[in-house]
Amino acid sequence: MMRTPEPMVEIHRGPFVESQHMGHAVICDGSGGVVEAWGDPDAVVLPRSSAKMIQALPLVMSGAAEAFGIGPARLALACASHQGAPMHVRAVNAWLDELGLGDDDLICGTEASRDKDLRFQMIRDGDSPCRVHNNCSGKHSGFLILTKHLGASSDYVDPAHPVQKSVRDAFEEVTGATSPGFGIDGCSAPNFATSMLGMARAMAFFASAGQRSDTMSEAAQQLVGGMIAYPELVAGDTRACTHLMRAAKEPLALKTGAEGYFVAILPHRGWGISLKIVDGATRASNSAIAALLVRIGVLDAENPEVIRFLNPPVKNWDGLVTGEIRPVAGLTGV
């Protein structure tokens, strides 16, 4: 029976609950069993950029990563929704240079840098955004390497392209179900659909990869290791992924996605988490994922780096605190 989304995050103004965000969430263990769930585990979703680790699996499984000498930092970048800060732009440009490729070879579209200082400096200098500034340019660099390794054509985002066929195969393997279809993501690549439970099982697969020795598990372990080692490449300054990974009391890989999606990988437990805020609000998905990680003891609710996403203040134009964003009562487990 279909279950409805549950209240997960509230916006308080003075003594009133002004707004409420509903959502679904699933925590799975390494066997694929449900540890805890909210809302509808069978809800079909597009995980958006939360699926980037899955999209990077063929890069490693194919032998392309080894053949092109891709280490943990670039594996983290292949999984990233980065800020387009100077460090990210330099890293992607260096990667492309080594491949003998350039900005025009990326098919992710141009995007203004999400790094405020760089964006304003580019405006002052009269510079136009490039494709390397796109938050998905690391993922697309990985796609380009796999394309070269396979000797395939340059239209690597085509759903019928060998790169995307290999992504779909990996996606269906780790989610444990045939995908019902796909939507085209903001970066033009197919984004395959699955259930909330399927995505949680996929993240638990990544979390428990160190317990197995098959090719896909070894690839998953390398990608998770890269993300944990380089949280600043996965997102960047001001972003929840980076700050919450740094604040964690045990190894943690986090990945946000557009429209209120979030996933977590907990290697010490072999657990995976999938989260969807149904109205797509990032402020709510940030708060809810932090709450779930506090609930299971991975984050400390009193850590300032956690508070900034778990329970941030709402301020007016004069800087006066007028309210706060907070998880619904009981979601943090206290």
Side-chain angles (χ1 to χ4, degrees), residues 118-285:
L118 177 58
R119 183 172 70 253
F120 288 172
Q121 186 62 51
M122 290 179 69
I123 292 171
R124 288 192 292 269
D125 294 344
D127 293 335
S128 299
C130 299
R131 298 179 185 189
V132 292
H133 296 102
N134 188 301
N135 79 99
C136 295
S137 64
K139 177 180 81 172
H140 280 250
S141 296
F143 284 162
L144 280 170
I145 287 174
L146 183 54
T147 297
K148 284 180 75 77
H149 187 71
L150 297 175
S153 59
S154 61
D155 56 340
Y156 61 81
V157 296
D158 187 324
H161 192 276
V163 165
Q164 299 307 328
K165 286 183 176 180
S166 66
V167 169
R168 181 165 191 154
D169 288 345
F171 187 86
E172 293 180 339
E173 178 70 21
V174 297
T175 57
T178 300
S179 174
F182 63 88
I184 299 300
D185 215 330
C187 66
S188 297
N191 194 252
F192 298 104
T194 190
S195 67
M196 289 295 300
L197 177 57
M199 200 63 183
R201 284 177 171 163
M203 295 305 101
F205 173 87
F206 277 81
S208 59
Q211 302 169 21
R212 300 180 297 272
S213 59
D214 58 278
T215 301
M216 182 173 280
S217 296
E218 290 173 357
Q221 191 175 9
Q222 289 183 51
L223 292 163
V224 171
M227 293 176 69
I228 292 172
Y230 295 94
E232 69 280 359
L233 292 179
V234 173
D237 190 38
T238 77
R239 302 287 300 284
C241 294
T242 296
H243 286 275
L244 296 180
M245 280 195 278
R246 286 175 173 166
K249 296 186 283 187
E250 64 185 66
L252 170 68
L254 275 178
K255 189 68 197 67
T256 189
E259 300 299 332
Y261 214 88
F262 232 119
V263 294
I265 298 167
L266 296 98
H268 278 192
R269 302 166 189 245
W271 288 6
I273 303 176
S274 66
L275 166 72
K276 168 69 177 179
I277 298 298
V278 296
D279 65 9
T282 298
R283 68 180 182 178
S285 61

Side-chain angles (χ1 to χ4, degrees), residues 27-109:
I27 304 175
C28 272
D29 62 25
S31 71
V34 176
V35 176
E36 204 165 0
W38 296 259
D40 185 6
D42 296 321
V44 175
V45 291
L46 292 166
R48 302 296 295 275
S49 285
S50 289
K52 282 182 176 174
M53 300 83 73
I54 304 175
Q55 292 172 306
L57 277 171
L59 171 65
V60 184
M61 292 173 61
S62 66
E66 183 178 7
F68 284 85
I70 301 172
R74 285 183 174 172
L75 291 180
L77 202 57
C79 299
S81 295
H82 63 69
Q83 195 82 340
M87 66 178 297
H88 303 121
V89 175
R90 286 194 300 268
V92 175
N93 275 328
W95 203 353
L96 293 174
D97 286 345
E98 289 179 19
L99 294 171
L101 300 173
D103 197 77
D104 289 343
D105 292 295
L106 297 170
I107 316 179
C108 53

